[in-house]
Amino acid sequence: MKTTSFDAQITAAVFDGAGAIFALGDGSVRFEGGEFSAAHDGAILCAVAHPSGDGVLTGGDDGRLIWHRRDEAGVLATAKGLWIDAVDASAESGLIAFSAGKTLTVIDAKDAGFRRDFQHERTVSGVAFDPKGRRIATSTYGGAALWFARIAQQKPTFLKWAGSHTAVTFSPDGAFVVTAMQDAQLHGWRLKDQKNLRMGGYPSKVRAMSFLSNGQLLATSGAQGAVLWPFVGANGPMGREATEIGFDEGSLVALVASRPKHGLLAAGLNDGRVWLADPAAQGLNFLKAERGAPITALAMNADATRVAWADEDGQAGVSTI
């Protein structure tokens, strides 16, 4: 395992095609190979790999969306006077989506002149592309909105559920949308009939959701172990209970990371430890066994062979599985 210490809190970890990338609260981006980019005037609030697989996209409290590569960085879009605090990108369609206040913006990585702005009644808190990169889900107060990414004038499909929804994801088959909520639960919808999925029982707020095992499991943070919801068949988790792995009553899982096509799950704990597990097998493999500051960033690379983590004190590491 390679470890590094930074002089600012790390807000996100991302893998692109060449390695791990860390986004920091001081507005800088640090690459695993030592390259450095300081393009934001303020904290980086969100990050995702660029659709090309080269570099990282970051949104900041300076209202700028920036593409950082190892040899250069450039501003792709701005949101004047607003924070950019959620971003997603689709390698399949080449589109990039980000939120600033009540607005969802879509741009095209290959067409600098393309831009779509979609307005919501309430602030947008999360953004996610569907598996084909053609539709976008946003989380907001009262539910989730579904937009067609390229259509300029449209009325979204709104999936209603009372409360504040703080993050959103699609299932890898595109059949379900799931949100995390402010009041320590998940909510989901089966898209073909908008059937509601109630997914509760958490002791704390869910900060991370990640599909694995060919989309058959949804892993989440927010409990003493990683919570696994079954998504097998047309009904998903309806009428079924979640399981939990890595249970430890003395800690909480702060973050989870996995890849949809692979069966491995990484978890970062609020006591500084990081573990890796295969839910189909037994036992945990601790990538970072020593306790310390809470884990604030966690990522797994595309072929599930490496994990990057970072903690609240600026310590970071990259482990080969």
Side-chain angles (χ1 to χ4, degrees):
M1 179 173 69
K2 295 192 300 184
T3 58
T4 311
S5 181
F6 299 119
D7 54 5
Q9 183 173 323
I10 297 141
T11 57
V14 171
F15 279 97
D16 72 351
I21 308 169
F22 298 98
L24 276 64
D26 64 1
S28 68
V29 167
R30 314 293 180 96
F31 294 86
E32 183 182 354
E35 299 88 350
F36 174 87
S37 172
H40 281 284
D41 182 15
I44 294 174
L45 304 177
C46 56
V48 69
H50 190 271
S52 67
D54 179 14
V56 63
L57 298 161
T58 61
D61 61 11
D62 58 358
R64 297 192 295 170
L65 181 77
I66 296 177
W67 179 14
H68 310 260
R69 284 166 282 181
R70 284 159 182 80
D71 55 354
E72 63 178 314
V75 177
L76 297 187
T78 58
K80 206 169 218 182
L82 297 170
W83 292 6
I84 295 177
D85 48 15
V87 64
D88 197 18
S90 171
E92 286 71 24
S93 66
L95 296 177
I96 299 161
F98 65 90
S99 68
K102 299 177 182 179
T103 304
L104 164 70
T105 298
V106 185
I107 60 174
D108 190 331
K110 296 179 180 178
D111 180 1
F114 178 88
R115 177 165 174 152
R116 299 282 186 264
D117 290 308
F118 302 123
Q119 301 301 320
H120 297 70
E121 291 184 6
R122 302 289 189 94
T123 299
V124 177
S125 57
V127 176
F129 277 100
D130 76 354
K132 294 181 180 179
R134 297 174 184 170
R135 297 185 86 186
I136 303 169
T138 57
S139 54
T140 184
Y141 189 86
L146 298 178
W147 302 86
F148 289 99
R150 289 190 174 273
I151 298 176
Q153 300 297 323
Q154 60 178 298
K155 186 176 180 180
T157 298
F158 198 77
L159 307 171
K160 294 182 181 180
W161 191 257
S164 179
H165 299 255
T166 57
V168 65
T169 189
F170 275 93
S171 61
D173 62 2
F176 298 90
V177 166
V178 181
T179 61
M181 298 189 66
Q182 185 68 36
D183 53 356
Q185 63 175 307
L186 303 183
H187 194 80
W189 297 267
R190 184 170 61 185
L191 293 184
K192 69 177 183 180
D193 56 7
Q194 296 191 18
K195 181 80 171 178
N196 287 287
L197 313 175
R198 302 185 189 189
M199 304 157 71
Y202 288 89
S204 68
K205 181 180 171 180
V206 177
R207 291 179 52 208
M209 303 178 285
S210 190
F211 278 93
L212 65 153
S213 300
N214 293 315
Q216 295 184 349
L217 292 173
L218 172 64
T220 77
S221 63
Q224 286 88 353
V227 177
L228 298 172
W229 292 95
F231 274 77
V232 180
N235 295 327
M238 282 188 279
R240 307 176 70 181
E241 291 187 359
T243 58
E244 200 168 340
I245 61 172
F247 181 85
D248 183 342
E249 64 181 15
S251 61
L252 283 173
V253 172
L255 295 171
V256 292
S258 61
R259 305 301 296 193
K261 294 181 180 179
H262 298 275
L264 294 176
L265 174 67
L269 280 56
N270 68 344
D271 65 5
R273 294 180 294 165
V274 179
W275 55 252
L276 183 76
D278 180 348
Q282 297 291 321
L284 307 178
N285 175 26
F286 277 90
L287 304 178
K288 179 178 179 288
E290 65 274 16
R291 299 173 194 267
I295 298 299
T296 58
L298 189 69
M300 184 179 287
N301 70 342
D303 58 3
T305 58
R306 307 181 76 212
V307 172
W309 57 266
D311 70 21
E312 203 172 73
D313 289 345
Q315 304 297 313
V318 182
S319 298
T320 299
I321 299 170

